[in-house]
Amino acid sequence: MLKSPAPVFRGMDFAAVAETLSTLEETPSRLEMTEIVASLLKSSGRDLRTVVLFIRGRVFPPWDPREIGVAQKSMIKCVSTATGTPAKKVEETIAALGDTGLAAEALFTKKPQTTLTKKKMSLAEIHSSLEKMASWEGKGTQEKKGRHVIELLNSVSPNEVKYLVRLVLGEMRVGVGEGIMRDAIAKAFGVPAAEAERAFSLINDYSEVAEIARTKGEAGLKKIGILLFRPLRPMLAQTVHSVQEALDNGCRAWEYKYDGMRIQAHIKNGEVRVFTRRLDDVTHQFPDVAEAIKNTVTAKEAIIEGETVAVDESERPRPFQFLSRRIKRKYKIDEMVRDIPVITYLFDCMYLDGKNLTTQKMKGRRAALNKIVTEGNHVKFSRTLITNSADKAESFYKESLKLGHEGVMAKNLGAAYKPGSRVGYMYKLKPVTETLDLVIVAAEWGEGRRANWLGSYLLACRDPDTNEFLSIGRMATGAKDEQLQYLTDTLKPTIEFQKGKFVKLRPTLVVEAGYQEIQKSPTYESGYALRFPRLITIREDRAPEECDSLDRVASLHERFTAKK
Ligand code: AMP
């Protein structure tokens, strides 16, 4: 007797998900959006994880290092070949519509249909197809990926093309942020939103949180704990303007504020992985940090936190730019390790030998850290002072600045570690330099000697309500040739469209900008304008969502006007 074939899991059609994404894009209300996402999640069944990832414009969860590896430029070529449109025309369409997905949809709509009966692609098929692409390596990979994207684009409807293009480029733009996703999961599976958020802050992946909520409910979410080699979201600091303000907020522990890169190191039986504050795995770029931690930490399993700083021969801190050269470097790492040595100053321990320490007080966590670390040349404890004396804290702050550090961190000894939040357990105190961390959203090609470099960068701050980026000024000074080259190389792949010398960029890169004054102005979307903005540093350790908010701009403006 013939055996019946094993049932094939087909699940949802990609077209159905694309339809919902369209609806979401046209829905302005947050509440309605949450309802729509919740009902999609509810009906996703075994496709749930993929649905959650796709809505957020991802093929892989944030902690997964895999990448599709198809940039804007290659996508333009693919759309051009697939639709028989000259590349220049594709670029013009992108410029006119302001988005590659929309442009691709428009060009595919015009394209005469060759196949009358297109087979519907399932969501699972699209996902595994993209997953496969990410695994290709070596010579000829780019061409192979290009052919594959063309094939995929040709197999779906124009509406699906729009979202497929955005997915490959990693920018979904339907406005579903982490907050909406959290609430939708809560609604779809009847779990408390706070529980979903807690789980997310520990495992950093809403697709997994959703799957656990679906299959195991609230009890399942409650069981989620810290996972080794899966970075937690770091606890964030608030700002104070004086030592007294920190004391008033209950802080008694003072530490040097080092100007480097925050790292979270995961240790398990001698294996060490190093993650940044943005949760990227940088073990490859910083083998020296991993090695030094391996040699100084005695625990079998631990998650510890610190700041890695570039230093000179006398262990004095070097400016952040030195370290920043190491963060993005993929090749010749040995040279970097030799030329830009670093010291890691440790300040916290969130997990130790099977025990989650985040709920313990800072005092206990620090004691745990002290117990498992022996200081070496490249790993040290952050310099700390415990005092409730404003005078002593003030001199400690001055001493830190004198040694070339950024200021001090003031911490509450009795407080837990709250992953991912800015709860007021830790404060930063720096001299008021009034700098702003802003994201670059557009630029212009230079002239003459600078014709090959992007210059005159349009900067934007973040609207905390909508998470949109609002322009605030043009920065054309402060960058050295080397930085202009770096900015150009980094920003070029993020060009969305070009018109004459003007290029619109995907918001990806944050810079610290100085300026003379903030004024109210109708010229920019934020309603404010920076006078004479200049580049201080490039902050690739910051995610665009972490740039300064419109609120901070408004309060700085207020302080400016008050001082006048
Ligand atoms: P900011 O980057 O200005 O928001 O200040 C907070 C950052 O200071 C943290 O994310 C760390 O990267 C850094 N930092 C430097 N030294 C310390 C320290 N001793 N404790 C905590 N964070 C520190």
Side-chain angles (χ1 to χ4, degrees):
M1 219 174 79
L2 273 177
K3 260 207 218 159
S4 55
V8 178
F9 170 63
R10 176 170 170 85
M12 304 177 102
D13 285 329
F14 182 61
V17 177
E19 275 303 314
T20 311
L21 292 171
S22 280
T23 317
L24 279 170
E25 241 181 309
E26 284 151 20
T27 309
S29 136
R30 211 192 116 95
L31 227 74
E32 268 177 63
M33 285 176 82
T34 310
E35 295 277 350
I36 296 167
V37 177
S39 85
L40 179 66
L41 301 188
K42 228 167 152 177
S43 61
S44 299
R46 280 161 62 187
D47 279 321
L48 179 63
R49 294 194 65 157
T50 311
V51 169
V52 172
L53 288 171
F54 279 17
I55 293 177
R56 303 272 293 126
R58 291 177 172 278
V59 177
F60 304 110
W63 49 266
D64 190 326
R66 285 178 292 175
E67 282 174 10
I68 308 268
V70 174
Q72 168 85 356
K73 222 169 151 187
S74 324
M75 185 55 88
I76 291 174
K77 267 198 211 153
C78 292
V79 174
S80 156
T81 312
T83 57
T85 319
K88 194 149 188 346
K89 177 88 193 0
V90 177
E91 284 173 17
E92 281 166 12
T93 316
I94 298 174
L97 300 176
D99 172 69
T100 316
L102 277 175
E105 180 188 31
L107 295 168
F108 271 86
T109 308
K110 279 200 204 136
K111 179 189 169 188
Q113 295 290 315
T114 42
T115 40
L116 281 174
T117 46
K118 268 186 184 167
K119 164 176 138 331
K120 280 199 165 172
M121 295 277 285
S122 76
L123 191 73
E125 275 172 308
I126 297 270
H127 187 254
S128 70
S129 192
L130 295 174
E131 205 169 26
K132 193 166 74 186
M133 267 171 69
S135 69
W136 294 337
E137 276 175 13
K139 235 177 129 203
T141 303
Q142 274 314 312
E143 292 72 26
K144 194 169 158 192
K145 285 186 178 174
R147 285 194 299 274
H148 194 71
V149 169
I150 293 171
E151 205 179 303
L152 277 177
L153 294 177
N154 276 331
S155 340
V156 295
S157 70
N159 188 48
E160 290 166 87
V161 161
K162 169 161 85 181
Y163 295 107
L164 190 55
V165 165
R166 290 183 180 175
L167 197 54
V168 170
L169 295 177
E171 42 180 82
M172 190 44 81
R173 298 186 161 185
V174 291
V176 177
E178 279 169 7
I180 293 185
M181 188 52 84
R182 173 201 59 212
D183 294 348
I185 291 172
K187 199 163 178 63
F189 307 113
V191 295
E195 213 49 71
E197 187 165 311
R198 187 199 75 92
F200 176 66
S201 72
L202 294 175
I203 61 174
N204 250 303
D205 179 359
Y206 265 131
S207 72
E208 196 169 335
V209 172
E211 182 63 12
I212 293 171
R214 177 178 85 96
T215 52
K216 302 192 178 122
E218 185 180 349
L221 289 183
K222 281 210 156 88
K223 276 204 200 119
I224 290 183
I226 289 179
L227 295 178
L228 276 167
F229 301 138
R230 182 78 73 82
L232 318 174
R233 316 207 112 205
M235 178 161 77
L236 302 171
Q238 291 183 1
T239 305
V240 282
H241 300 102
S242 69
V243 155
Q244 192 55 49
E245 197 182 338
L247 283 170
D248 293 345
N249 285 320
C251 296
R252 298 292 178 267
W254 309 83
E255 295 177 21
Y256 286 175
K257 183 179 193 311
Y258 302 96
D259 188 14
M261 164 184 81
R262 181 153 178 185
I263 60 122
Q264 190 180 113
H266 290 225
I267 302 144
K268 187 176 183 177
N269 299 329
E271 187 185 346
V272 177
R273 302 216 71 81
V274 181
F275 299 94
T276 64
R277 155 180 176 150
R278 291 176 71 173
L279 317 177
D280 295 326
D281 187 334
V282 286
T283 318
H284 174 69
Q285 291 93 312
F286 292 91
D288 45 341
V289 173
E291 185 66 21
I293 287 177
K294 187 177 158 183
N295 294 335
T296 47
V297 178
T298 52
K300 259 185 148 166
E301 288 186 354
I303 300 179
I304 55 178
E305 199 176 38
E307 185 89 354
T308 296
V309 188
V311 290
D312 65 16
E313 315 77 54
S314 328
E315 296 192 355
R316 271 191 308 252
R318 288 163 98 183
F320 181 78
Q321 289 96 299
F322 284 92
L323 191 75
S324 116
R325 283 181 18 215
R326 288 197 56 176
I327 301 176
K328 289 239 160 136
R329 184 73 164 247
K330 288 205 174 126
Y331 311 103
K332 296 197 183 156
I333 302 291
D334 300 354
E335 282 176 21
M336 281 278 128
V337 170
R338 190 193 58 214
D339 296 344
I340 308 179
V342 296
I343 294 183
T344 301
Y345 294 95
L346 297 175
F347 47 76
D348 219 320
C349 176
M350 294 88 92
Y351 180 88
L352 180 58
D353 292 332
K355 224 169 152 189
N356 175 356
L357 304 189
T358 57
T359 48
Q360 289 197 8
K361 294 178 176 165
M362 187 212 152
K363 207 171 157 185
R365 298 198 309 275
R366 187 68 192 235
L369 183 72
N370 288 348
K371 225 161 87 190
I372 57 168
V373 179
T374 337
E375 284 190 306
N377 286 341
H378 297 282
V379 174
K380 298 180 190 294
F381 294 114
S382 63
R383 177 115 165 79
T384 309
L385 172 75
I386 312 281
T387 185
N388 59 4
S389 143
D391 286 348
K392 284 187 185 149
E394 193 69 48
S395 342
F396 186 74
Y397 175 36
K398 287 206 178 108
E399 171 188 298
S400 171
L401 291 175
K402 211 165 148 202
L403 290 170
H405 304 302
E406 255 198 309
V408 284
M409 300 296 295
K411 300 184 183 179
N412 186 328
L413 284 164
Y417 189 102
K418 290 269 180 206
S421 41
R422 212 179 274 285
V423 271
Y425 294 165
M426 170 162 107
Y427 295 86
K428 52 185 171 187
L429 174 60
K430 318 192 246 188
V432 185
T433 51
E434 315 280 3
T435 64
L436 280 167
D437 286 344
L438 299 167
V439 67
I440 300 179
V441 291
E444 270 180 37
W445 290 105
E447 290 185 351
R449 189 176 78 82
R450 298 182 159 210
N452 288 328
W453 286 330
L454 289 172
S456 180
Y457 300 93
L458 184 65
L459 304 177
C461 61
R462 180 175 49 85
D463 180 334
D465 297 328
T466 60
N467 268 335
E468 276 173 34
F469 296 112
L470 308 173
S471 58
I472 184 166
R474 275 179 200 287
M475 176 182 79
T477 49
K480 299 190 192 80
D481 286 3
E482 185 189 306
Q483 286 173 315
L484 286 172
Q485 185 66 52
Y486 179 81
L487 285 169
T488 306
D489 292 345
T490 312
L491 294 171
K492 236 168 130 182
T494 68
I495 293 180
E496 281 187 334
F497 65 85
Q498 177 161 349
K499 216 169 196 176
K501 283 192 183 308
F502 173 85
V503 292
K504 168 92 179 61
L505 302 165
R506 235 181 317 132
T508 55
L509 195 65
V510 175
V511 290
E512 182 182 353
Y515 49 87
Q516 274 190 5
E517 203 180 325
I518 301 179
Q519 298 171 326
K520 284 225 162 160
S521 155
T523 313
Y524 298 106
E525 293 153 350
S526 62
Y528 294 93
L530 300 182
R531 246 168 83 80
F532 304 122
R534 64 181 192 286
L535 178 71
I536 310 263
T537 44
I538 303 165
R539 307 264 359 185
E540 51 286 87
D541 59 323
R542 289 288 150 91
E545 309 78 61
E546 282 188 293
C547 76
D548 276 313
S549 65
L550 186 58
D551 293 348
R552 168 129 204 273
V553 172
S555 84
L556 283 173
H557 171 259
E558 231 167 72
R559 263 203 278 156
F560 257 116
T561 31
K563 266 198 246 159
K564 269 187 176 170

